[in-house]
Amino acid sequence: MIGKALYVADYDNHRISVFTTAGKFVRTIESETLYTPEDLFADARGRLFVADDQGRYEVIEKDAVVASWDVGLSSQTSNATGVEVLPDGRILLSERDLGRVQIVTYP
């Protein structure tokens, strides 16, 4: 939740859907790189961190993608399945296919 808006990873429709806390649909967030969002996390600064099942993580601010990166190493493939921001700002990224959790930083 960011402010009074609830953000939902809409996996099958390849977007993020935004609702009021009363459940009323407000809008969608879509991008060329967002394909199958699987998990979301909103930090205290109002940034939305997205784990996309196609092996990508994205950071969204004000409904626009401001950062995006792929996971996995060279020939390895991975599914980005979870994202969480720790109180100190480090980001936990979980990857189903590689069976690992990475800790990264983002400004």
Side-chain angles (χ1 to χ4, degrees), residues 8-63:
V8 177
D10 193 347
Y11 184 93
D12 289 330
N13 290 309
H14 316 290
R15 63 186 180 200
I16 297 167
S17 296
V18 184
F19 297 88
T20 66
T21 54
K24 181 180 177 187
F25 175 78
V26 177
R27 66 185 180 282
T28 60
I29 300 171
E30 301 178 53
S31 80
E32 292 180 10
T33 57
L34 185 65
Y35 187 69
T36 49
E38 190 158 316
D39 190 28
L40 307 171
F41 184 89
D43 74 358
R45 293 173 45 188
R47 299 178 298 184
L48 189 63
F49 293 79
V50 183
D52 190 288
D53 189 49
Q54 298 299 306
R56 177 175 296 279
Y57 291 94
E58 297 192 344
V59 180
I60 297 174
E61 292 184 44
K62 299 179 183 171
D63 292 354

